[in-house]
């Protein structure tokens, strides 16, 4: 089950479970759409993975399986991922 973290790691913008603006990588690093597209060029600065739209959990399921309350924030901001080409 996805953690569905509540905020952007770059700008700390709130990203509630129902937000269509959340982007995640395969490790569930979480960013807002603005940071993901404008600053990170669609790549996670932590792992280099693709940032995609986070699925929304139906409201009826949130009561039994709530979103995470753990915020991950990097006050210095986020630098774009450096992707090294495969040999």
């Amino acid at each position: 089950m996805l953690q569905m973290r509540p905020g952007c790691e770059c700008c700390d913008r709130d990203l509630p479970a129902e937000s269509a603006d959340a982007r995640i990588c395969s490790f569930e690093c979480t960013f807002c759409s603005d940071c993901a597209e404008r600053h990170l060029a669609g790549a996670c600065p932590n792992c280099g993975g693709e940032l995609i739209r986070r699925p929304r959990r139906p409201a009826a399921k949130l009561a039994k399986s709530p979103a995470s309350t753990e915020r991950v924030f990097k006050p210095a901001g986020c630098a774009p991922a450096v992707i090294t080409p495969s040999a």
Side-chain angles (χ1 to χ4, degrees):
M1 175 171 41
L2 289 174
Q3 281 188 332
M4 300 185 80
R5 295 178 188 158
C8 177
E9 290 185 25
C10 287
C11 69
D12 206 30
R13 176 179 162 195
D14 287 339
L15 295 169
E18 66 276 5
S19 177
D21 290 327
R23 303 293 183 266
I24 61 172
C25 70
S26 63
F27 290 97
E28 297 184 56
C29 301
T30 305
F31 304 94
C32 68
S33 60
D34 186 51
C35 287
E37 295 162 14
R38 293 179 187 226
H39 304 295
L40 303 174
C44 178
N46 302 320
C47 69
E50 176 184 21
L51 293 173
I52 61 169
R53 186 173 169 207
R54 179 180 71 188
R56 290 176 280 180
R57 188 168 298 153
K61 301 291 183 181
L62 282 169
K64 184 176 179 184
S65 301
S68 174
T69 57
E70 176 189 350
R71 289 187 90 88
V72 177
F73 175 55
K74 299 178 180 178
C78 295
V82 177
I83 302 171
T84 55
S86 308

